[in-house]
Amino acid sequence: MATTAGTSAAASVNAYTNTSSYINTGFAFLNPSQVDKNRVAIGGSAYTEVYGFNIPEENRVRGIRWNEDDETTSIWRPQGIAGFSRNGVRYLLVSWYAKDAAESKGSRITLIDISPSSSTYLTYRHILLVQPNLPTGTLDYTQYGTYAPLNVHAGGIAYFNGKIYLSSTSLGLRVFDLDKIIEVTTGTGTESKCGKDASGNLYAFNYRYILPQVGYYKINDADPFSTVQVNYENNQLWTGQYYAGSADASIVPKIFGFPINASGELQNSGIQTVIPKNSLFTSDHAHGIQGVFRKGNRTWLSCTGSPSESYGSTARLARYTDGDTNTVRYRWPYGAESLYFEAQYGYLWSLTEFEPNAGASNGSQVNRCIFAVDFSKYE
């Protein structure tokens, strides 16, 4: 395959699988504006205090840090980022996966108000993601019927016309409807329960809200799906493959563009494939892809694991033009993950994942934050 964007002869999208029957009756639904946000983030320039935050000051436009609990937790890690506006309020969405002591809880998203004029500015709420397949075997919690945690890496999310598309490593894309948020029971005694019990009570590990999967797309010959984002033209969902340059140097990572219609349905024709180059790696390919954003014939890649360090970080933002033999690279924060472009403001958003003492280099220093740069400086 040439390095120019071309129609993929391999990747294909299976017909959409609707999984929403488990929530068709007996549930009341909420939308994002009805969610009570119970945590407060830190705004301003506080993000510059994190380890490996090496972006030139003149390129920075927004910075957000989590509250102390979320900034330092070792049992949840943020991965994907997307955004949308509703009723005049701007929101970010961040996906997390659970690990270690929380692993059975699966994955979650966070809804954050980022409108400075809003009465709930910088407040946020974690929402547990659920799906209808009930786990089997020995569990470390009580599992009731109807729904269960969604145990995926949640490496990337995209927002399109009220739906969330979550990258699922070996499957493809899982779909959620943001107008189908469900409030559940919280309080003492709910921390180790999930699902709907015989009396109709709803539980989700003391989370107040759940967001049920409503369907999925099984995509062939394009895994692993490490990230997903809507392109600038809003007519494709682009996914990226993560392979570490050191361990998987012989593998050629690709990115794929899947056409999407106005109803949010992926199409199984006109799928594009791009093989970005990156001379930082011995194979000259773009390894460590954590995030993608596509505009015209250019792709911006958030890549980690570079063999060279830049101002305390081995991550780069790499801009690849179809057909080129290399990327143009920029400083990028340590542990950087997915990308999201907020077109109205010209902001390119990203986030970092590591808690203190988790990364290869950050030691006890804080690394976890959300940030936006002036996209025009990277075009």
Side-chain angles (χ1 to χ4, degrees), residues 4-324:
T4 54
T7 302
S8 174
S12 62
V13 179
N14 291 358
Y16 176 69
T17 300
N18 188 324
T19 63
S20 65
S21 61
Y22 69 114
I23 54 167
N24 279 352
T25 59
F27 293 94
F29 299 118
L30 304 174
N31 64 54
S33 63
Q34 296 171 300
V35 169
D36 177 31
K37 296 178 288 297
N38 64 335
R39 301 187 179 213
V40 182
I42 303 168
S45 60
Y47 60 101
T48 61
E49 300 167 14
V50 303
Y51 175 83
F53 195 88
N54 56 1
I55 292 175
E57 188 171 354
E58 61 271 20
N59 294 359
R60 306 170 187 168
V61 288
R62 291 290 300 271
I64 298 169
R65 280 175 60 176
W66 304 97
N67 73 9
E68 184 177 359
D69 286 346
D70 293 320
E71 190 175 66
T72 60
T73 181
S74 62
I75 59 175
W76 288 94
R77 280 198 183 156
Q79 298 288 299
I81 188 167
F84 65 97
S85 294
R86 180 173 292 206
N87 300 327
V89 178
R90 296 157 61 198
Y91 294 98
L92 289 179
L93 293 166
V94 172
S95 62
W96 305 62
Y97 74 93
K99 58 191 293 285
D100 300 334
E103 187 172 4
S104 59
K105 297 179 182 178
S107 50
R108 69 187 185 189
I109 62 164
T110 305
L111 179 72
I112 313 172
D113 179 344
I114 61 165
S115 294
S117 61
S118 171
S119 62
T120 57
Y121 176 51
L122 289 181
T123 60
Y124 64 95
R125 168 74 75 164
H126 300 313
I127 301 171
L128 193 74
L129 298 178
V130 300
Q131 47 82 35
N133 298 320
L134 302 181
T136 58
T138 303
L139 302 173
D140 60 0
Y141 68 96
T142 301
Q143 176 66 62
Y144 296 108
T146 307
Y147 63 84
L150 177 66
N151 286 289
V152 297
H153 188 70
I157 52 172
Y159 173 90
F160 186 82
N161 288 356
K163 300 291 196 305
I164 294 175
Y165 300 80
L166 181 79
S167 59
S168 187
T169 307
S170 59
L171 174 72
L173 297 175
R174 297 178 185 268
V175 184
F176 302 80
D177 186 338
L178 269 181
D179 286 323
K180 293 190 180 298
I181 298 169
I182 299 171
E183 187 170 3
V184 302
T185 300
T186 60
T188 303
T190 68
E191 298 90 344
S192 297
K193 297 178 180 180
C194 189
K196 184 178 183 179
D197 71 12
S199 300
N201 299 307
L202 309 178
Y203 301 105
F205 305 118
N206 203 30
Y207 281 75
R208 182 171 174 179
Y209 303 98
I210 58 173
L211 181 63
Q213 174 187 294
V214 294
Y216 65 82
Y217 288 96
K218 175 72 173 72
I219 300 176
N220 308 307
D221 302 312
D223 63 311
F225 300 93
S226 67
T227 189
V228 60
Q229 196 49 253
V230 181
N231 67 338
Y232 178 80
E233 293 79 13
N234 268 348
N235 61 1
Q236 289 173 312
L237 286 176
W238 282 86
T239 68
Q241 295 180 312
Y242 175 90
Y243 292 109
S246 56
D248 303 314
S250 63
I251 299 174
V252 178
K254 303 178 182 69
I255 61 173
F256 298 90
F258 300 95
I260 187 169
N261 66 19
S263 299
E265 299 166 333
L266 268 69
Q267 307 299 294
N268 190 33
S269 61
I271 300 167
Q272 289 184 285
T273 302
V274 174
I275 305 176
K277 297 288 189 175
N278 190 341
S279 63
L280 279 178
F281 297 95
T282 55
S283 64
D284 283 337
H285 293 296
H287 290 276
I289 297 174
Q290 304 277 10
V292 298
F293 170 65
R294 177 84 172 174
K295 180 181 179 183
N297 68 339
R298 283 181 166 178
T299 308
W300 286 258
L301 307 165
S302 176
C303 296
T304 56
S306 163
S308 69
E309 186 174 287
S310 174
Y311 296 84
S313 173
T314 56
R316 302 287 191 281
L317 180 67
R319 188 189 73 211
Y320 178 72
T321 302
D322 292 349
D324 279 2

Side-chain angles (χ1 to χ4, degrees), residues 47 53-63 81 300 317 330-333 338-343 345-351 370-379:
Y47 60 101
F53 195 88
N54 56 1
I55 292 175
E57 188 171 354
E58 61 271 20
N59 294 359
R60 306 170 187 168
V61 288
R62 291 290 300 271
I81 188 167
W300 286 258
L317 180 67
Y330 305 90
R331 301 183 205 170
W332 211 232
S338 296
L339 299 173
Y340 156 61
F341 180 64
E342 191 179 18
Y345 296 91
Y347 291 176
L348 184 65
W349 289 89
S350 188
L351 72 168
I370 303 170
F371 63 95
V373 296
D374 179 353
F375 182 64
S376 68
K377 303 288 181 65
Y378 300 89
E379 285 198 275

